[in-house]
Every structure is written in structure tokens, then in C-alpha cells.
Amino acid sequence: MMTPSLRKQHERCADCGIRNRAVCSYCGPQELGLLDTIKFYRSYDPGQEIVAAGEQTDFLGSVVEGVVSLSKTMPDGRRQMVGLMFASDFVGRPMRPIAPYDAVAVTPVRLCLFNRGRFERLLKDTPVLEKRLLEMTLDELDAARDWMLLLGRKSAREKIASFLAILARRAASADNVDADDGFFFDLPLTREQMADYLGLTIETVSRQITALKKDGVVEFPDARRCRVPDFVALLDAAGEDSDGGMID
Amino acid sequence: MMTPSLRKQHERCADCGIRNRAVCSYCGPQELGLLDTIKFYRSYDPGQEIVAAGEQTDFLGSVVEGVVSLSKTMPDGRRQMVGLMFASDFVGRPMRPIAPYDAVAVTPVRLCLFNRGRFERLLKDTPVLEKRLLEMTLDELDAARDWMLLLGRKSAREKIASFLAILARRAASADNVDADDGFFFDLPLTREQMADYLGLTIETVSRQITALKKDGVVEFPDARRCRVPDFVALLDAAGEDSDGGMID
DNA sequence: CGATATTTTGACCCGGCTCAACCCAAGTGG
DNA sequence: CCACTTGGGTTGAGCCGGGTCAAAATATCG
């Protein structure tokens, strides 16, 4: 059930790969030491459920590696992804023990977790933690609102292009490669998951990707690897302003 | 430009109508006194712009009365509403001085505002303020995610029904009337604004409202006033589970 | 009362959904 | 080694929900 290879059981917070991007990034050595004593790790295989909608969650924490999807399902089975969490993103909502959506591991995932009660007590006593959490929540809200524009007003082609632009941007800032010849990155999602992300069907996702390939906006060495030769052209296909893309 | 009737210039925080729902709701008498000295009010007419996307905002605060819409516009003019703020909701993002969307007064609006720098300093020194703000931001994120499901997966009819259900719920809890014979409420939005909220066109909004009337799910004494005789029927039309509606 | 904005209604069309077939790579077991 | 399955992914044909364009009906307001 759990991949042993992911089981690096305990890691010092100070040496952690997400140490300066996660909730804990404003913590000093002292608070970090405290976190060290109460955190624990848990690993999940692709497709494995982390929490189900409506369920009580007794833990919350950070994505250390891998990708987690959050999604809502209607009574008749229609599904919409509402969150896509990468390394250093925070999963779980303090003060709200009931999960309003499913969280599922998209890739192999490792989480750094805290007991809910303990974390909430710690939050109260650690302003820097709370401040960082507020910041991250505001960022997520911004992302959610961009996403709403995508879902409500963009065409299928624009949706696909927008999604690829998000991944390209992520890849560029993560690998901090300054793209001598376009951006390369892997699609972490299946076509079905992309459809759930974008409010489309698999077929439409596939067709629009084909169309973008045909137009030379993107290249796919294989179905899961993508190259963007001209980022501005991609933004253009996404219906976005050609500027606000890469500046941080 | 500003409606004089809205100009009750200064009100003691302790007597404020939104005192126990807004950001300040966890503040004690001491913190409240401090807020009293630095807050100021500003009023807006329907349709008046509060901040424009891309603009620097030097203030932020609470909606005291009225309704404010937040919306994003694409280069070609397509618009999507991404937030709808009522009395006690917080407007503006601490630590992010550039507004990523337009904020517009939908009805006559009165805001209780703070200078950005002063508020951010206050936040740092007042954990209860920050805690409340975090809570409110998490709630907004939840609302945004419900909204994403609506935009991505619901039919036009379901979208309209969902929106009316939100308003009915608000009305029921605000007027704390236990609906002896259905819920009554006013639509704060024009058809165009509803269309922007729901990712539809005006025409489709109009048609689907007509259809819901014809099916007896809702009644419209006039174009802006609505009665819901059977809330469960409305939830059903919204494609939602018939339970999770009214419980808080 | 005209004049302007908002809402409704109608006719038509198209983008994306549905249904169905097919392709391809990776297992799996005989 | 090959036959068979399984899970993505792609492609095609046809349809329909919601968009577009146009006009009528209904407020709202000097």
C-alpha cells in the first residue's frame, strides 16, 4: 500500500527541501525544532485517496513531494478539480475538521503532517506560522479566482493553453532554467484529470492538444512530455495578456 | 459622486452592525478602541468603481453595508465575476498591494477602511485579528471552490438554481426568519451581473429564470424580487444534495 | 410623455459533448 | 513467446445546450 522507497522516515526540518517555501518558511531554529518533534511523514501511491469529502481529518500539513488533487463530485458523478497541490503547498484547513472535497495522490506523494489539535495550538502561539499560512491561503484564493475565469469564460483551446502555461511557468521557476530553447516539462495529469481540472471531457482535451500541436504552439515528444517553443505564443493561445506571465 | 445619505461619518466600533461578524469580531475593547482611532468610512454609488485591476490599493477593510463585486476581464472584454462581498466581508488583500481584479459597488456601499500600512502593522501585533482574517480567507476559498464546481460542471439551469439557493440561504440566516411560507429575498444583481457571476450570457440567464418560474421552483413578483416556496426543490434543480443546505 | 436601460423572446448556429471505434504500450499468464 | 487484457489516448460522426444576433416588451426616469 505504501511505497517503501518513499519511506525516508524522518528528516531534520533544517535540511528539508521545501523548508523555505512551505508553512514553516518563516520559522526560526527554535520553532523549527519544535516542529521537528511533532511532525510525521506519510506516503501515498498514485490514485490513492488521502481524504474523502465529508470525512473528518485529524491531520494536516505540507506536500513534500508529488502532486495532490482536490476535487468535488456531484451526486450524479460529475467531477470538478478545485485544487492542485505541489511540493511545499499546504493541505488541510485549520479549524475546519470536515473535508469539503476529496484529496487524491496524483503521483507518488509524501506528506509532512501534524496532528490537527497540536498544530492548531501551535498556530495560536506562533504568529509567524499563522502569518505564512495566511499568505499561502491568499495566494491560493488568487489562483482559485484565475481558475474561475478559465472555467467560466475560456474556450476549450484557451483552457488547455492556460493550463500548459501554468505548468510551463512552474517548471521555469522550479528548475530555474532560463529556457535557452523553450520550456520542457512533464504533464503530471492524465487526460481525464486534465478534463476534471478544466471542466471539459477527455475527448475535447485530446482534440485541443492535437490542435495546438498542429499549430506549432506546443510539441509533445510523447503524450506526457511537453515542450513550449514560444511562451508568448502560448499565452496568446490562452487568451492572456502577453506580459504578466514570467515576472514574479 | 458620493451619496450623502450614506455619510454617517463615524460610528463607535462597539455599536457597529457588523461588529461580531467582521475581521474585528475577535477583538476585545482595547483593540477595538485602537481600530476606532484609525478607521475611516467611504461610500460608493451603484456601478461606481472601488479599485481597478492592476491598481495599487492603499486601503483595505470591511463592507459595512451594500454589495461589492470582484471581477476579472480578459483583453477582449469577456468578464467573469470572481467574488461577491456582502456586509461584514473583508475587501482587499494584506501584503499584496496590487489588486488583481476590479472591485465595483453593485448597490450603494459603505466601507470601513484602514490605511494599508497601518493595518498590516496592526495585524502583526494583533494575533486575534490575524486569526479572524485567516478564518475568513479560508471560508472564501471554500466558497470559491464551490463556485468552480458550478462554473465547470453545472448546466445553465443548475447554475441559476444554485445562485438563487445561495441568496435564499443568505436571506434566511440574515433575516433569521424561519420561513413560514418560503423564503423571500431581493436579487442584488442585474441579469448582466448574474451572467458574469455564472459564466453565462444575459439571454440564457433570462431564459432559465423563466423556465424555473414555469416549473414552479421559484416565483418572481417582479424581476428583482424572488420567492422560493420549496427550498429542497430548488436544491434539487441546482444539482445539489438535498441535505447540506441549511445547517450551519 | 419621449428617452434610455433592462429584460424577455425568437430564430439560428456552432463549440463542445456523446457515443463509438480504434490505437498503443504495458502487463500477465499459459 | 504469444494471446489476451487493461488503461490510457486518439479520432470520427452526429447532436444539442447555450451562444449570437435581432427585435419586441417592459421598467425607469427626466
Side-chain angles (χ1 to χ4, degrees):
Chain A
M1 194 181 289
M2 289 187 186
T3 315
S5 67
L6 286 177
R7 276 281 185 104
K8 239 188 305 176
Q9 260 306 16
H10 216 87
E11 187 163 23
R12 303 281 318 277
C13 282
D15 306 332
C16 179
I18 60 171
R19 190 251 172 285
N20 35 22
R21 288 178 296 143
V23 235
C24 49
S25 63
Y26 293 160
C27 288
Q30 193 200 341
E31 291 121 353
L32 228 51
L34 191 54
L35 287 177
D36 243 331
T37 66
I38 65 169
K39 76 180 182 193
F40 60 97
Y41 290 96
R42 202 171 276 180
S43 296
Y44 300 85
D45 289 325
Q48 199 179 345
E49 182 168 81
I50 298 172
V51 293
E55 213 173 57
Q56 176 121 7
T57 59
D58 50 341
F59 55 80
L60 65 203
S62 303
V63 177
V64 178
E65 54 182 72
V67 180
V68 173
S69 75
L70 311 179
S71 56
K72 297 201 159 237
T73 306
M74 292 176 63
D76 64 2
R78 279 173 284 174
R79 199 175 319 128
Q80 175 64 52
M81 201 179 289
V82 297
L84 192 57
M85 323 301 277
F86 296 85
S88 85
D89 286 337
F90 191 82
V91 175
R93 309 172 317 144
M95 304 152 186
R96 304 290 135 98
I98 305 291
Y101 34 68
D102 303 312
V104 177
V106 166
T107 63
V109 164
R110 201 157 69 104
L111 300 182
C112 166
L113 295 172
F114 307 98
N115 167 278
R116 168 178 293 277
R118 221 179 272 186
F119 184 79
E120 289 180 359
R121 243 169 291 127
L122 191 63
L123 253 194
K124 200 174 328 201
D125 304 332
T126 318
V128 288
L129 245 194
E130 190 159 72
K131 181 194 161 108
R132 178 64 184 139
L133 195 54
L134 176 57
E135 252 184 35
M136 293 175 79
T137 307
L138 286 166
D139 286 344
E140 262 194 78
L141 189 53
D142 280 354
R145 285 170 166 165
D146 282 340
W147 202 337
M148 286 172 50
L149 174 62
L150 177 149
L151 291 172
R153 295 302 188 192
K154 291 192 177 179
S155 69
R157 181 190 171 94
E158 288 170 333
K159 285 178 174 183
I160 298 285
S162 299
F163 178 62
L164 295 177
I166 290 171
L167 293 182
R169 220 170 290 157
R170 268 194 60 80
S173 71
D175 312 351
N176 57 302
V177 173
D178 58 340
D180 32 320
D181 199 35
F183 306 125
F184 281 92
F185 56 91
D186 284 312
L187 294 188
L189 305 187
T190 65
R191 296 292 187 261
E192 182 174 25
Q193 290 164 336
M194 288 182 63
D196 287 346
Y197 186 107
L198 299 170
L200 297 172
T201 58
I202 334 180
E203 295 94 326
T204 301
V205 169
S206 181
R207 277 189 253 270
Q208 294 302 328
I209 287 182
T210 304
L212 286 173
K213 278 192 292 192
K214 206 166 304 178
D215 296 349
V217 181
V218 292
E219 296 162 24
F220 282 80
D222 76 75
R224 288 295 200 95
R225 186 142 189 85
C226 179
R227 187 174 100 84
V228 176
D230 178 2
F231 190 71
V232 172
L234 182 60
L235 282 184
D236 192 53
E240 290 175 23
D241 252 335
S242 315
D243 60 332
M246 239 51 203
I247 310 100
D248 243 78
Chain B
M1 191 181 288
M2 290 186 185
T3 315
S5 67
L6 286 177
R7 276 279 184 103
K8 238 186 307 178
Q9 262 303 20
H10 216 86
E11 186 164 24
R12 303 282 316 277
C13 281
D15 307 331
C16 179
I18 60 171
R19 191 245 172 287
N20 35 21
R21 289 178 295 145
V23 235
C24 48
S25 63
Y26 293 161
C27 289
Q30 193 200 341
E31 290 122 353
L32 228 52
L34 190 55
L35 287 178
D36 243 331
T37 66
I38 64 169
K39 77 181 183 192
F40 59 97
Y41 291 96
R42 202 170 280 179
S43 297
Y44 301 85
D45 289 326
Q48 199 180 345
E49 181 168 83
I50 297 172
V51 293
E55 213 173 55
Q56 176 121 4
T57 59
D58 49 343
F59 56 81
L60 65 202
S62 303
V63 177
V64 177
E65 54 183 73
V67 180
V68 174
S69 76
L70 312 179
S71 56
K72 297 200 159 239
T73 306
M74 293 176 63
D76 65 2
R78 280 174 282 174
R79 199 174 321 127
Q80 174 64 52
M81 202 180 288
V82 297
L84 192 57
M85 323 301 276
F86 295 86
S88 85
D89 286 337
F90 191 81
V91 175
R93 310 171 317 142
M95 305 152 185
R96 304 289 134 96
I98 305 290
Y101 35 67
D102 303 313
V104 177
V106 165
T107 64
V109 164
R110 201 158 67 105
L111 300 182
C112 167
L113 295 172
F114 307 99
N115 169 277
R116 167 178 294 277
R118 221 178 274 185
F119 184 79
E120 289 180 359
R121 245 168 292 128
L122 192 62
L123 254 193
K124 202 174 328 205
D125 304 332
T126 317
V128 289
L129 244 195
E130 191 159 70
K131 180 193 161 108
R132 178 67 186 138
L133 195 54
L134 176 58
E135 252 184 35
M136 294 176 78
T137 309
L138 285 166
D139 285 345
E140 262 195 79
L141 188 54
D142 280 355
R145 285 171 167 164
D146 282 342
W147 201 339
M148 286 172 53
L149 173 62
L150 178 149
L151 291 172
R153 293 304 188 192
K154 291 192 176 179
S155 69
R157 180 191 171 92
E158 289 169 332
K159 285 178 174 183
I160 298 286
S162 299
F163 178 63
L164 295 177
I166 290 172
L167 292 182
R169 220 170 290 158
R170 269 195 61 81
S173 70
D175 311 351
N176 57 302
V177 171
D178 56 339
D180 33 320
D181 199 36
F183 306 123
F184 281 92
F185 55 91
D186 284 312
L187 293 188
L189 305 187
T190 65
R191 297 292 187 261
E192 182 173 27
Q193 290 164 337
M194 287 182 64
D196 285 346
Y197 186 107
L198 299 169
L200 297 172
T201 59
I202 340 179
E203 294 94 326
T204 300
V205 169
S206 181
R207 277 189 254 270
Q208 295 301 329
I209 286 182
T210 304
L212 287 173
K213 277 192 292 193
K214 206 166 303 178
D215 296 349
V217 181
V218 292
E219 296 161 23
F220 282 80
D222 78 74
R224 287 298 198 92
R225 185 140 189 87
C226 178
R227 188 174 99 85
V228 176
D230 178 1
F231 191 70
V232 173
L234 183 60
L235 281 184
D236 192 53
E240 289 176 23
D241 253 334
S242 315
D243 61 330
M246 237 53 203
I247 311 97
D248 240 81

